[in-house]
Amino acid sequence: MEPQHLRDLHDLQLRRGARPDGPGCRVERVDGVVRHTGPAHAWNGVLWSGLDARSADRVIAAQIDHYRAAGLSFEWKLYGHDTPADLGDRLRAAGFTPEGPETLMAAEAAALPREVPLPEGVELRAVTDEAGVRQVVEVHERAFGTDSSDLGRRLLDRLATDPDAVTAVVALAAGEPVSAARMELYPGTDFAGLWGGGTVEGWRGRGLYRALVAHRARIAADRGHRYVQVDAADTSRPILRRLGFLTLTTTTPYVYEVRG
């Protein structure tokens, strides 16, 4: 695997070739951007842009107008190789707030461990219904300290309307949810995306994150996806590197809040 090749393939298949990821969502390719628009609980934002110094400010303003008209806050997902080089500065000047940068990483799904031993008394359970989604939301809120209700609504939407394109798993210790994660399967592409791996305090450092990566990678490989990709936080990047993931680029969410 060559990082440059994987980055270009990711851009082509998942960013420029993005598809709607839930009911009521649409993808538009307009004025040098690919954007995703849906209900308020959906992910709304710009997935890809091909801009230059002359067009950037005008196109940024047009996206603000688009989402403001819909009454939706949104995210501009900026990658380290996007142009122009000062796009982040331009987004800040337009009123966007950058969140913490992450690292885009990828690995061959079939090359990853098929299984990682679980701590004694822990079992993995597939999430298939509302009760399972509630457990995922509980783990995320305890692990990350954020309101994850919109995540729960999105996951329920996908399980109801397109269950073959998403899978989620929760780790239970004596019936208590202690870790959870999901995977987006992108039909017709080489990729599956690993998202939301979180473990509650007290259970970290015991292999649960690695076990959930292995579990999802096995499913991705069995369903014909060659690669798995992750937007990795600083805490997970060393674990993924040891598993064999390659660094492709950085990604930073720039958030624009639309109020009232």
Side-chain angles (χ1 to χ4, degrees):
M1 297 190 302
E2 291 293 334
Q4 178 72 49
H5 168 72
L6 285 178
R7 193 189 77 183
D8 291 346
L9 192 63
H10 176 271
D11 278 357
L12 176 65
Q13 294 188 352
L14 299 192
R15 298 182 68 201
R16 301 184 71 168
R19 302 174 189 182
D21 69 356
C25 297
R26 67 185 186 276
V27 171
E28 298 167 305
R29 294 163 177 84
V30 58
D31 208 14
V33 304
V34 177
R35 68 191 182 203
H36 188 274
T37 307
H41 68 275
W43 186 89
N44 288 284
V46 174
L47 291 155
W48 177 85
S49 63
L51 308 178
D52 57 31
R54 291 177 297 176
S55 64
D57 292 337
R58 174 182 57 79
V59 174
I60 290 170
Q63 305 321 303
I64 293 172
D65 289 345
H66 166 75
Y67 287 102
R68 185 181 284 151
L72 297 169
S73 298
F74 73 105
E75 176 184 317
W76 192 300
K77 197 165 173 59
L78 179 66
Y79 288 77
H81 57 287
D82 288 346
T83 58
D86 65 347
L87 184 53
D89 293 336
R90 293 172 184 265
L91 291 169
R92 281 190 291 270
F96 289 78
T97 301
E99 296 186 344
E102 297 177 311
T103 303
L104 176 64
M105 306 181 77
E108 284 201 60
L112 295 173
R114 297 283 290 182
E115 292 184 22
V116 171
L118 292 166
E120 186 176 355
V122 175
E123 63 170 331
L124 299 186
R125 183 173 298 173
V127 173
T128 59
D129 56 18
E130 188 171 354
V133 171
R134 284 198 300 269
Q135 291 179 323
V136 172
V137 170
E138 177 186 338
V139 167
H140 279 68
E141 292 186 338
R142 291 174 62 193
F144 301 122
T146 57
D147 182 353
S148 297
S149 55
D150 282 350
L151 165 64
R153 292 184 65 186
R154 292 196 298 269
L155 186 51
L156 282 172
D157 283 349
R158 298 300 299 278
L159 289 172
T161 62
D162 197 7
D164 291 335
V166 65
T167 184
V169 59
V170 62
L172 301 172
E176 177 191 0
V178 295
S179 188
R182 69 188 191 281
M183 178 169 64
E184 302 283 339
L185 297 144
Y186 307 112
T189 78
D190 294 297
F191 291 92
L194 307 185
W195 299 97
T199 301
V200 303
E201 193 172 357
W203 283 91
R204 295 169 186 164
R206 301 174 67 176
L208 289 177
Y209 181 79
R210 290 185 294 113
L212 295 184
V213 169
H215 175 84
R216 290 173 291 166
R218 182 176 69 248
I219 294 172
D222 290 346
R223 295 195 187 180
H225 295 277
R226 184 173 180 183
Y227 305 112
V228 287
Q229 58 91 197
V230 186
D231 289 353
D234 290 344
T235 51
S236 54
R237 188 171 63 245
I239 301 170
L240 294 167
R241 187 180 296 118
R242 289 193 294 270
L243 287 171
F245 281 75
L246 298 178
T247 296
L248 308 188
T249 186
T250 59
T251 178
T252 304
Y254 280 74
V255 176
Y256 191 95
E257 295 287 348
V258 174
R259 305 187 186 279

